[in-house]
Amino acid sequence: MSNYRKGKERFKPNNLGSLYVKEGCDKENSTIYIGGQMEHRFHILEQTGFTGDVGHNMFDGSWFYDYPLYGNKGEYNTRNFARNLTECLDEAKLENVTLITESAGGLVGAYASKSPRIQKVIAIHPPILGTPLADARVLENGSLDFTLEEKVLMAMLKIIVNRDYGFEKDNLNGVMIDKVDLDKLIVLSSKLDAKKDKLALAVKYHDLILKTTGLESDGVVVYEPKELARLGIKYLENEPELNHIEAGGYDYLADVYKRSRTIKYPVVQ
């Protein structure tokens, strides 16, 4: 666990999120990180100032989910988080910002992309096309026979995921294209290799998603390149086949950061 607040200036326009910027960073050309969305039962742990998400201390700054655990849960959605982020950038007076996002952070970054302060949004394994894991009812196909293990996997989701939260509905449904500046957004994602991947739980959920929806995934979020292309969303081909957890790990984040200044957006046909 590391302290994501230490040595950083905090900008907090409302109770939905905070931007933490390293002291002395280049405000004319900065890289800001947005991590994935912790499920609500674990979120309170990260509000102590400590996190296991390595991304929060790798870049010039990071935006952090600061929503309370009470109130209108529907208001805690990715579009409102994005508005908070853009207000933070205005207060911090950051320009030419590159956002490196992971998982649900990609939806926040995508919706913030219309801000003139943001020049590029690099979304790592985002739920741009959604994830049925955000609502287990999507997986309950009455025409299919489920094993006991598959039933347990779906029961786990019902315990862990609270569908009342707006961000879970966003995770389920994916991005609203008309709210995004597609010229700034690029997706770095992949499906996992079910035969080689060593994270058993990710493989099990990958197989469950594939069985019930026919869609490929990284074990959490859907990854269908043809659908991304159809929607006009730019993505890089030939990214490593990683599960959702590995995609948010230090090695891949460091690789993306190294490439972030030179990534050339492909032309969507």
Side-chain angles (χ1 to χ4, degrees):
M1 298 290 284
S2 60
N3 190 330
Y4 61 83
R5 296 174 180 171
K6 187 176 181 180
K8 298 175 184 175
E9 184 177 2
R10 183 183 189 183
F11 300 90
K12 184 178 173 64
N14 58 47
N15 68 347
L16 293 182
S18 296
L19 176 66
Y20 294 87
V21 180
K22 288 183 179 178
E23 298 171 355
C25 85
D26 181 2
K27 292 194 173 185
E28 298 299 318
N29 193 18
S30 59
T31 299
I32 301 298
Y33 174 74
I34 308 175
Q37 176 57 60
M38 292 287 286
E39 184 45 53
H40 64 287
R41 292 179 178 83
F42 307 112
H43 177 61
I44 192 171
L45 299 176
E46 292 202 325
Q47 288 184 328
T48 63
F50 291 87
T51 178
D53 186 340
V54 296
H56 285 288
N57 285 316
M58 290 179 65
F59 308 102
D60 298 310
S62 66
W63 183 87
F64 205 87
Y65 306 91
D66 261 343
Y67 65 86
L69 299 181
Y70 53 84
N72 183 353
K73 295 180 175 61
E75 293 181 356
Y76 310 148
N77 60 60
T78 51
R79 282 168 293 162
N80 285 341
F81 291 155
R83 279 191 284 271
N84 175 284
L85 168 62
T86 57
E87 290 175 14
C88 287
L89 295 178
D90 290 343
E91 288 186 13
K93 295 181 173 58
L94 298 185
E95 304 286 350
N96 302 314
V97 174
T98 295
L99 295 181
I100 293 182
T101 72
E102 188 264 329
S103 189
L107 290 179
V108 178
Y111 289 135
S113 62
K114 291 193 175 183
S115 166
R117 296 185 183 274
I118 295 174
Q119 66 169 342
K120 185 185 300 182
V121 179
I122 302 173
I124 298 172
H125 286 236
I128 291 293
L129 302 180
T131 169
L133 302 191
D135 189 340
R137 295 175 299 181
V138 175
L139 302 171
E140 294 176 332
N141 189 326
S143 65
L144 296 176
D145 292 326
F146 293 105
T147 65
L148 176 60
E149 181 178 63
E150 290 168 340
K151 292 178 181 178
V152 170
L153 290 173
M154 290 188 285
M156 286 171 55
L157 292 174
K158 292 180 180 179
I159 294 172
I160 295 172
V161 178
N162 187 328
R163 299 191 308 269
D164 293 337
Y165 283 89
F167 62 80
E168 293 294 12
K169 295 176 183 177
D170 297 336
N171 288 337
L172 172 65
N173 296 318
V175 76
M176 291 187 289
I177 296 297
D178 62 322
K179 306 295 184 184
V180 179
D181 186 337
L182 293 177
D183 290 332
K184 295 180 182 179
L185 175 67
I186 187 167
V187 170
L188 275 59
S189 195
S190 67
K191 61 181 178 64
L192 60 75
D193 187 332
K195 294 182 179 179
K196 296 181 180 179
D197 200 286
K198 296 181 179 179
L199 186 59
L201 189 60
V203 173
K204 292 181 190 300
Y205 275 118
H206 164 274
D207 292 347
L208 184 59
I209 292 171
L210 185 61
K211 176 178 179 177
T212 55
T213 68
L215 300 173
E216 286 287 357
S217 72
D218 62 3
V220 176
V221 302
V222 170
Y223 179 66
E224 292 284 338
K226 290 183 180 179
E227 182 63 10
L228 291 173
R230 186 188 71 80
L231 294 171
I233 297 172
K234 301 178 180 68
Y235 65 96
L236 288 190
E237 298 186 74
N238 303 317
E239 289 296 299
E241 293 186 324
L242 301 174
N243 64 55
H244 197 72
I245 302 302
E246 288 179 317
Y250 180 88
D251 290 342
Y252 190 60
L253 285 178
D255 174 63
V256 172
Y257 187 35
K258 183 178 180 180
R259 292 187 282 152
S260 63
R261 299 299 182 191
T262 57
I263 283 178
K264 294 182 179 180
Y265 287 25
V267 176
V268 177
Q269 300 298 328

